[in-house]
Amino acid sequence: MTATPQLTSAAVPKAMRAVSLRTELLVNLTMLATATLMLVVGSFVAFGHLLDSADASLYLTAMIVADVAVFVAFGAYQIRRLILKPVEDIVAATDEIAAGDLARRVPAGKSPELVRLANAINWMTNRLLEERSHLVRVEKMASIGRLAAGVAHEIGNPIAAISGYTDTLRRRAGGSGEVEGALDGIERESARIDRIVRGLLDYARPAPRSRHAIDLSDTASRVVDLLRGQGALRDARVSLELASGLPAVYGDRNEMEQALVNLLLNAADAAPAGGEVNVVTRRAALSEIVAEKKQRSGDSNEVDVPRAPNARLHTWLSAAGHPKEMLQIIVSDSGPGVADEDKERIFDPFFTTKDPGMGTGLGLAIVARLVENLGGAIWVRRAREGGAAFVMLFPILPENARPGVASVALARSGA
Ligand code: ADP
């Protein structure tokens, strides 16, 4: 849990202004010792003359017992107030959490030490919640994948047959306008079903066995060139910020290309006419990845890019052993962005906000699957351009981690 300090630090600075538990205990015990001493001296001044009487030892014992009783009573009160009560509150809350109430949070307490303890437990509870919903989602996706593969195979053959019958009918129709129109409709809708079936097969495709060394920057610039050549990016201003000499990602090159194609097409679709689409490849440090806010050089102070902890990110980081550095590729745009409540759902198959017939809702589900096959993680956050930024992380494998290769080749151009 190396990331804990960064994630729990938010409430600590305020608590730091409070007196630490150690100082408060020391001050209280010093005051107590001073008060006891004064009581002893006072007792001697007030009752000193009794020590000359026959019951001197009795009086002396009574004075000592009274002093000790005051010391113990006040000490016990302070220890209860400062330590026992807050610890009891924390134990009560953790008992409820352990019993399954994951919505319960530990109260913060007054001293920085107790705030830190409460933050750490609350952070663990949040992670537990995230992990649990992530697991449920992964299991759901796995069963959708199996179902999709079966359905796609069953639908694929009838669709091919419908295309064949349509051709036959078209030849026989002899150019009748109404029949031609109906046949066009059948062809159009069959093509749409075919697209969905292909998407389902892509989504359900098992991880490929072949593993090549993939240069992220090279692949990104090739995919952008390809899409530009097809005119798919003509309405957007595309800029590339690609680091040269990055360590390779290992996996299937086609899968990396397909993931980038899907993300770039979505970005171009989301950006308004003449809007921005950016692709960045870089080496990224763990500290910047888990930081809640980060500014890129050149950002003004008003640029506020919140990076809330993300279940996809944390699950991947935990599985990867919180590597100090990793490879990052970001596809961002100046479109409307993704609403907070949709940030996880957009990776579900069939989730689409497009009009019926315009989107299948399979593009990002396929991207998530491909990125997983490539050993990486993907999530979405708000982009500096105002729209969505799809961030992908890939591990730097030890044998491939060459130091000092972070020189950045900046290539900016319009589409
Ligand atoms: P489709 O594009 O067919 O709807 P996707 O899986 O590619 O399917 O995308 C799912 C949804 O995610 C889209 O309908 C859209 O709401 C949202 N989305 C994807 N990319 C972006 C983006 N760059 N900006 C804003 N929303 C996006």
Side-chain angles (χ1 to χ4, degrees), residues 76-350:
Y77 166 74
Q78 288 298 351
I79 287 174
R80 167 144 194 81
R81 185 178 72 86
L82 293 173
I83 303 173
L84 293 182
K85 177 74 175 61
V87 168
E88 276 169 14
D89 290 345
I90 291 175
V91 169
T94 46
D95 278 349
E96 282 178 40
I97 293 168
D101 182 4
L102 293 186
R104 181 84 158 90
R105 292 294 173 272
V106 173
K110 290 200 181 80
S111 61
E113 292 87 346
L114 292 171
V115 169
R116 239 182 252 138
L117 178 62
N119 278 349
I121 295 173
N122 289 338
W123 188 78
M124 279 195 310
T125 314
N126 287 343
R127 290 280 298 116
L128 210 63
L129 257 179
E130 281 174 4
E131 292 282 354
R132 201 161 74 169
S133 58
H134 186 71
L135 263 183
V136 169
R137 192 169 283 273
V138 167
E139 275 168 23
K140 196 176 97 191
M141 293 300 120
S143 36
I144 290 178
R146 281 192 295 274
L147 183 74
V151 170
H153 278 298
E154 290 305 315
I155 294 177
N157 291 341
I159 283 294
I162 288 173
S163 290
Y165 291 137
T166 315
D167 283 346
T168 312
L169 281 178
R170 201 183 286 285
R171 278 198 299 276
R172 300 253 174 110
S176 145
E178 201 181 339
V179 176
E180 282 288 334
L183 290 173
D184 286 348
I186 294 175
E187 257 178 4
R188 198 173 49 245
E189 296 307 315
S190 305
R192 195 171 141 219
I193 297 175
D194 190 50
R195 235 180 19 248
I196 296 175
V197 168
R198 279 174 208 281
L200 281 174
L201 285 172
D202 275 342
Y203 176 69
R205 195 166 51 182
R209 301 251 160 89
S210 68
R211 263 167 65 88
H212 307 112
I214 306 167
D215 182 318
L216 279 187
S217 301
D218 217 45
T219 311
S221 87
R222 234 173 331 107
V223 168
V224 168
D225 283 348
L226 179 94
L227 292 178
R228 271 184 186 150
Q230 294 175 356
L233 303 175
R234 68 177 163 267
D235 291 335
R237 281 182 296 131
V238 182
S239 69
L240 306 174
E241 200 175 310
L242 307 175
S244 58
L246 287 177
V249 170
Y250 285 92
D252 186 298
R253 241 177 249 135
N254 296 330
E255 295 211 328
M256 183 68 84
E257 286 172 3
Q258 196 188 338
L260 283 170
V261 165
N262 288 10
L263 291 177
L264 280 160
L265 289 179
N266 276 350
D269 213 22
E276 287 177 56
V277 172
N278 296 326
V279 184
V280 177
T281 57
R282 57 198 287 267
R283 254 177 129 113
L286 177 66
S287 53
E288 14 169 343
I289 299 286
V290 295
E292 280 179 282
K293 281 185 185 179
K294 170 85 172 64
Q295 292 201 325
R296 203 162 56 185
S297 58
D299 281 351
S300 75
N301 283 337
E302 290 84 53
V303 175
D304 174 24
V305 185
R307 296 181 177 189
N310 179 290
R312 293 174 162 273
L313 166 64
H314 287 301
T315 306
W316 185 80
L317 284 177
S318 298
H322 291 94
K324 282 202 178 69
E325 274 197 315
M326 52 215 97
L327 296 168
Q328 195 180 38
I329 176 160
I330 305 171
V331 178
S332 56
D333 61 67
S334 58
V338 177
D340 276 347
E341 62 273 21
D342 291 340
K343 281 189 169 144
E344 190 53 47
R345 288 196 297 168
I346 53 170
F347 295 103
D348 286 355
F350 302 116

Side-chain angles (χ1 to χ4, degrees), residues 262-263 266-270 333 335-338 346 348 351-354 358-365 387-388 390:
N262 288 10
L263 291 177
N266 276 350
D269 213 22
D333 61 67
V338 177
I346 53 170
D348 286 355
F351 176 84
T352 180
T353 56
K354 295 181 181 163
M358 298 306 288
T360 59
L362 285 170
L364 288 178
F390 285 86

Side-chain angles (χ1 to χ4, degrees), residues 47-81:
F47 307 110
H49 59 280
L50 295 176
L51 294 179
D52 295 333
S53 69
D55 295 329
S57 57
L58 193 68
Y59 289 131
L60 195 61
T61 310
M63 271 194 281
I64 291 171
V65 168
D67 282 349
V68 170
V70 169
F71 187 88
V72 168
F74 190 66
Y77 166 74
Q78 288 298 351
I79 287 174
R80 167 144 194 81
R81 185 178 72 86

